[in-house]
Amino acid sequence: MAIKHYLQFSDFTLSEYEYLMQRARIIKQRFKAYQTYHPLLDRTLVMVFEKNSTRTRLSFEAGMHQLGGAAIYLNTRDSQLGRGEPVEDAGQVMSRMCDIIMIRTFEQEMIERFAANSRVPVINGLTNQHHPCQVLADVFTYIEHRGSITGKKVAWVGDANNMLYSWLQAAQVFNFHLHVSTPKGYDMDMSLVAADNRHYTLFDNPSDACEGVDLVNTDVWTSMGYEAENQARLKAFDGWIVDEAKMARANPDALFMHCLPAHRGEEVSAGVIDGPQSVVWDEAENRLHVQKALLEYLVVGEIR
């Protein structure tokens, strides 16, 4: 059987996502009921980190243990990858010693090259261009709270970063519409947007982007790897804070999401992220449940 990787959101079809959502619900219910479930007994996940992490490491490591398997943490600072070993060689070696690999790194090209030389599935834990696992958790969280996301409107207010590009792919897969508002000079890289994607509208005014939407989403203004730009970004993003006024333009039952970590008073006000429309803690927890479903699917296939 051909190896299946999860390197960007568009790698899976709608039917595969519907299956994953179903499995995530079942796995979450078992977790909440303290029911032992070990479909990955004696299987090993290797986690490779070039970027720091809280939620990604915790959710994958805890998730793999809860599924009965083992998780091994590798940081490029203390592995041969950090000393110049070719990515292709690392892919060949690591994939002969484990059952699945998750990589959190900078460039998408690195993970693509690694996967091309891997004998086991590879998961994108984050790159500069894509963050599919987070958006998988976000879509699952929306469905948990409000039902189907098909036909809904989602606002993205802030940086044109990896989260936005994964949301754009999700809009195509699930058939919803994205309102995108980014400051001038921080616009979308159209090479990362499918030419046939008609599921988004651009807004110069971030408040207008929130009008009549079902979900408002944002992220930090300065992502990892762009710290040198922080002061310039703080100036450029002035006015892009998701505050109570912007949420008031969304539908009354609209949700607010943020992939975390958050900076209250910058990209989001405390009143919004800690308010009644915020589901950020459910969103963070759901990384665990959807990734357990993803691990199960990639290692053992569909369970019927």
Side-chain angles (χ1 to χ4, degrees):
M1 189 174 70
I3 300 168
K4 190 158 191 65
H5 304 296
Y6 191 57
L7 307 184
Q8 51 187 298
F9 202 91
S10 60
D11 284 345
F12 285 1
T13 64
L14 177 60
S15 62
E16 287 178 298
Y17 279 116
E18 288 172 340
Y19 170 79
L20 282 177
M21 298 296 169
Q22 175 196 13
R23 290 302 302 163
R25 280 193 297 272
I26 293 169
I27 287 170
K28 183 174 183 177
Q29 289 166 359
R30 285 175 166 161
F31 175 79
K32 297 293 186 181
Y34 295 94
Q35 294 177 2
T36 299
Y37 179 58
H38 288 165
L40 301 188
L41 187 66
D42 201 33
R43 303 298 178 106
T44 303
L45 164 70
V46 168
M47 307 180 299
V48 181
F49 286 87
E50 273 196 298
K51 284 191 174 186
N52 295 333
S53 168
T54 299
R55 280 152 292 276
T56 297
R57 179 176 178 182
L58 182 58
S59 55
F60 271 108
E61 190 164 342
M64 192 65 183
H65 285 300
Q66 291 165 17
L67 292 174
I72 297 173
Y73 172 85
L74 289 179
N75 190 297
T76 51
R77 289 190 299 272
D78 48 39
S79 71
Q80 295 297 340
L81 267 173
R83 300 174 64 188
E85 181 173 23
V87 169
E88 292 79 4
D89 293 1
Q92 291 278 358
V93 172
M94 289 185 195
S95 64
R96 287 171 179 259
M97 301 185 187
C98 65
D99 302 283
I100 190 165
I101 298 167
M102 185 280 297
I103 301 177
R104 183 177 171 93
T105 187
F106 290 91
E107 294 304 320
Q108 184 76 12
E109 180 199 18
M110 183 274 202
I111 201 169
E112 300 277 356
R113 288 164 55 203
F114 190 103
N117 288 274
S118 174
R119 295 157 61 114
V120 301
V122 176
I123 297 172
N124 180 354
L126 176 143
T127 63
N128 288 350
Q129 292 77 28
H130 298 284
H131 199 356
C133 290
Q134 180 64 59
V135 175
L136 176 61
D138 294 355
V139 172
F140 177 76
T141 304
Y142 184 88
I143 293 170
E144 263 194 329
H145 282 267
R146 296 288 186 264
S148 174
I149 198 170
T150 298
K152 301 299 184 181
K153 293 179 181 177
V154 177
W156 178 266
V157 177
D159 191 22
N161 63 9
N162 50 10
M163 284 291 297
L164 172 57
Y165 298 120
S166 289
W167 269 109
L168 285 162
Q169 292 186 355
Q172 276 195 293
V173 173
F174 283 92
N175 191 25
F176 59 85
H177 201 81
L178 203 63
H179 290 190
V180 179
S181 183
T182 61
K184 292 194 184 307
Y186 297 89
D187 312 294
M188 294 193 302
D189 178 352
M190 297 310 296
S191 70
L192 296 174
V193 183
D196 62 346
N197 192 337
R198 301 291 182 266
H199 291 264
Y200 68 93
T201 303
L202 301 178
F203 290 81
D204 292 330
N205 186 320
S207 294
D208 291 343
C210 297
E211 182 68 36
V213 301
D214 304 287
L215 169 62
V216 179
N217 214 320
T218 192
D219 193 4
V220 295
W221 291 342
T222 306
S223 298
M224 283 181 287
Y226 300 92
E227 289 81 2
E229 303 176 10
N230 188 53
Q231 290 307 310
R233 283 173 174 262
L234 288 177
K235 283 186 179 180
F237 284 74
D238 184 38
W240 263 261
I241 183 172
V242 176
D243 54 16
E244 289 84 344
K246 290 186 182 66
M247 288 301 299
R249 295 191 63 176
N251 288 335
D253 65 344
L255 300 176
F256 171 77
M257 291 189 189
H258 189 308
C259 62
L260 304 177
H263 300 125
R264 289 165 176 81
E266 287 187 16
E267 74 275 4
V268 62
S269 69
V272 170
I273 194 170
D274 299 318
Q277 291 172 281
S278 174
V279 291
V280 297
W281 313 122
D282 291 342
E283 179 188 3
E285 178 192 332
N286 282 335
R287 287 286 302 276
L288 172 69
H289 309 303
V290 299
Q291 287 165 193
K292 286 166 73 173
L294 179 63
L295 289 165
E296 178 191 69
Y297 175 61
L298 290 176
V299 175
V300 301
E302 289 194 13
I303 294 177
R304 296 296 184 184

